[in-house]
Structures are given as structure tokens and as C-alpha cells.
């Protein structure tokens, strides 16, 4: 007995079925440029919610920038993530599901000693 065209189409279409459980949601990255230490808790929430965060600290004074990095270091540690320095005032904070490889070197001659971390 021969299959009808309809049965052949149905059999072929079943081969292309993909389980939605195997599809992973896209990773998100958040860019933050805080203007004061008061914003650090909102930034940390992104990491806790499994989003990577790039923090630009150019708009805060050195004291507040250090406080922000201290707080974020604790938040990243709490979720088994990583924090990496990308530039003189730029940091990448990632949760445990993101792996950071490699490093970025910085020429420290041009950086004010007060701005070094």
C-alpha cells in the first residue's frame, strides 16, 4: 500500500520537530555608567539575575568608584561569578554561567596614581 502525499508530508515534518527545552535563551549584557554609589544595588541586581554588566566609572569620584567595585566584588562572589578590569575605569562583572577568558593589559604610565585600582 502506498502512502498518500499528505502522509509523506506529515512524516517528513515530524523529523524537524525540536524540543523547546533544548533552546537556550539569549544571554544579556547590561552597560552601566553610575553617577553615584546609590545606583550600585540596581547594578548588582543584574548580576544576581544572571546578566553580565559592564560598568564605566568615569562619572563618579575615586572614593565612590572604589565603594562600587567593593560592593560589586561581593555581589559577584555571592553568585560565584567573576569581575575583570577592562580599562582604567571600566569593569566587567559576570554571573557563574558566563566564562571570561583572556586579559587586557593596560599602560599605566598615562594613568593618574589616584585612579589606579
Amino acid at each position: 500500500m502506498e502512502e498518500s502525499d499528505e502522509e509523506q508530508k506529515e512524516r517528513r515534518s515530524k523529523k524537524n520537530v525540536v524540543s523547546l527545552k533544548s533552546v537556550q535563551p539569549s544571554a544579556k549584557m547590561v552597560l552601566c555608567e553610575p553617577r553615584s554609589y546609590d545606583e550600585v544595588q540596581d547594578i548588582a541586581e543584574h548580576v544576581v539575575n544572571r546578566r553580565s554588566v559592564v560598568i564605566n566609572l568615569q562619572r563618579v569620584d575615586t572614593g565612590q568608584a572604589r565603594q562600587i567595585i567593593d560592593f560589586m566584588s561581593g555581589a559577584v562572589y555571592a553568585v560565584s561569578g567573576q569581575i575583570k578590569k577592562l580599562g582604567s575605569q571600566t569593569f566587567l562583572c559576570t554571573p557563574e554561567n558566563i566564562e571570561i577568558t583572556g586579559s587586557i593589559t593596560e599602560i599605566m604610565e598615562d594613568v593618574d596614581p589616584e585612579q589606579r585600582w
Side-chain angles (χ1 to χ4, degrees):
M1 188 168 175
E2 225 173 280
E3 286 184 345
S4 69
D5 288 339
E6 187 71 30
E7 289 171 336
Q8 287 178 355
K9 286 180 184 178
E10 185 177 334
R11 189 171 46 87
R12 274 187 250 136
S13 69
K14 286 184 180 179
K15 290 181 182 178
N16 296 329
V17 174
V18 177
S19 169
L20 292 178
K21 290 181 181 178
S22 67
V23 177
Q24 294 183 358
S26 62
K28 300 225 179 202
M29 180 173 288
V30 179
L31 306 177
C32 295
E33 195 172 46
R35 298 198 190 308
S36 72
Y37 177 77
D38 296 336
E39 298 175 45
V40 73
Q41 193 164 359
D42 294 333
I43 297 169
E45 282 295 318
H46 292 298
V47 177
V48 170
N49 291 321
R50 300 173 62 97
R51 292 183 207 105
S52 297
V53 179
V54 175
I55 306 170
N56 179 358
L57 297 171
Q58 292 178 334
R59 297 196 183 267
V60 294
D61 64 56
T62 304
Q64 286 190 3
R66 282 196 176 111
Q67 287 180 315
I68 290 169
I69 293 306
D70 288 346
F71 189 96
M72 289 305 299
S73 295
V76 166
Y77 177 81
V79 296
S80 302
Q82 297 181 54
I83 185 167
K84 292 283 186 176
K85 188 173 183 179
L86 301 180
S88 65
Q89 297 177 31
T90 308
F91 293 82
L92 173 61
C93 301
T94 60
E96 78 285 351
N97 63 321
I98 304 293
E99 181 182 347
I100 302 172
T101 58
S103 63
I104 297 176
T105 58
E106 183 178 350
I107 300 172
M108 295 303 289
E109 297 167 0
D110 299 334
V111 178
D112 179 10
E114 283 294 312
Q115 294 293 324
R116 293 185 186 176
W117 303 94

